[in-house]
Amino acid sequence: MTTEYSGGGDPRRSLELLWGVQPAPRRGPKPKLTVAEIVRTAVAVADAEGLDALSMRRVADELGVAPMSIYTYVPSKAELIDVMFDRALAELTPPDDVPGGWRPKLEHLARDNWDLYHRHPWLLHVAAVRPPMGPAMFAKYEFELRAVDGIGLTDVEMDSVVALVTGFAESSARVSVNVAEAERRTGMDDVQWWESIAPLMEEIDTGGNEYPLSARVGASAGAEYQGPVGPRHAFDFGLARILDGIEVLIAARG
């Protein structure tokens, strides 16, 4: 799937669309659509078929309008993706009411992001190195920082902790989504895939005696995951270890 880059369109138009700044009224018939309708339709297409299937023409077809009419609301696919990305982030929920302090709050953030990427896998194909500076992006960063405010970290450490936790959720979700996509494309799950190659593996000398640790640990892990990888196990295990490390950092601050 093609990688899209946020911030690739007209920055002024992107910001106007993100923040709902209305253009000067023009004479003529009343607009038939709204930006919100266009974005909802675009998200539905991307959710179902991925970003490669998304185009201004496709959105117009879904809405039953002429393709050129979409451009009177959104100038190009680049600005549309910016708004789609920000609208998706608006689904994330602040951890303010999560009891127990910073650790369960950070865990909430990670799991909420994990769930978001599974609802909208296309988000993983938007490189937000120049993030859409919309209201949901600002709200997200604000409530993420509140989760670690006042616990003894410097401002830079607060930013780094948030980036570490959310970045880990993103990378872990990417593996999980790829596993699901492989199953969709091949028509077989991991268990079926392994069963299909197991007889062939037995025919081939793969050096089982030469790699005893690989054979032993791989067999144990495969039995646990019921596949060559265990995305959810890796996410749960890795998140716990990351939070352990952050706890050490906080303790070191006294």
Side-chain angles (χ1 to χ4, degrees):
M1 182 177 291
T2 304
T3 298
E4 300 284 351
Y5 289 81
S6 63
D10 179 343
R12 176 176 291 276
R13 285 298 291 131
S14 280
L15 285 172
E16 289 173 345
L17 291 167
L18 285 163
W19 290 92
V21 177
Q22 300 297 324
R26 296 180 298 176
R27 293 182 178 181
K30 183 180 179 180
K32 296 180 180 180
L33 299 173
T34 65
V35 172
E37 289 177 299
I38 293 170
V39 173
R40 280 197 300 270
T41 301
V43 168
V45 170
D47 285 349
E49 302 177 43
L51 286 179
D52 287 346
L54 180 66
S55 67
M56 302 297 273
R57 176 176 291 277
R58 176 63 186 278
V59 173
D61 290 344
E62 292 290 327
L63 289 168
V65 299
M68 290 306 297
S69 66
I70 297 293
Y71 292 96
T72 63
Y73 301 88
V74 181
S76 75
K77 183 178 176 180
E79 292 85 3
L80 178 58
I81 287 175
D82 283 352
V83 185
M84 290 168 60
F85 195 95
D86 195 69
R87 294 298 185 270
L89 296 185
E91 297 178 17
L92 294 169
T93 56
D96 299 343
D97 296 331
V98 175
W102 65 267
R103 182 164 181 138
K105 286 179 169 58
L106 287 182
E107 182 173 351
H108 168 88
L109 292 175
R111 297 191 183 282
D112 205 20
N113 275 266
W114 166 278
D115 291 340
L116 180 71
Y117 289 123
H118 284 80
R119 288 196 302 273
H120 306 297
W122 56 269
L123 285 170
L124 296 167
H125 298 280
V126 179
V129 289
R130 295 176 178 175
M133 305 301 285
M137 176 68 73
F138 276 90
K140 172 181 181 290
Y141 188 47
E142 182 73 16
F143 66 63
E144 288 170 344
L145 292 174
R146 285 201 302 268
V148 292
D149 188 28
I151 61 175
L153 301 178
T154 67
D155 286 352
V156 174
E157 287 170 342
M158 288 168 60
D159 177 83
S160 297
V161 162
V162 164
L164 174 63
V165 171
T166 57
F168 174 72
E170 178 182 351
S171 62
S172 299
R174 189 183 307 279
V175 176
S176 179
V177 167
N178 286 342
V179 169
E181 179 65 12
E183 180 176 337
R184 186 187 70 81
R185 293 193 181 195
T186 62
M188 65 173 68
D189 60 24
D190 282 345
V191 173
Q192 293 169 321
W193 172 78
W194 184 254
E195 290 174 346
S196 72
I197 69 167
L200 301 175
M201 296 288 288
E202 291 177 0
E203 296 176 11
I204 300 171
D205 182 8
T206 57
N209 294 328
E210 189 176 352
Y211 310 114
L213 282 177
S214 298
R216 190 191 80 210
V217 174
S220 297
E224 176 71 22
Y225 308 150
Q226 289 296 292
V229 294
R232 187 61 192 238
H233 176 274
F235 173 64
D236 291 339
F237 182 85
L239 177 59
R241 302 296 74 75
I242 287 173
L243 296 178
D244 288 344
I246 294 170
E247 190 163 359
V248 172
L249 174 64
I250 294 170
R253 293 288 179 270

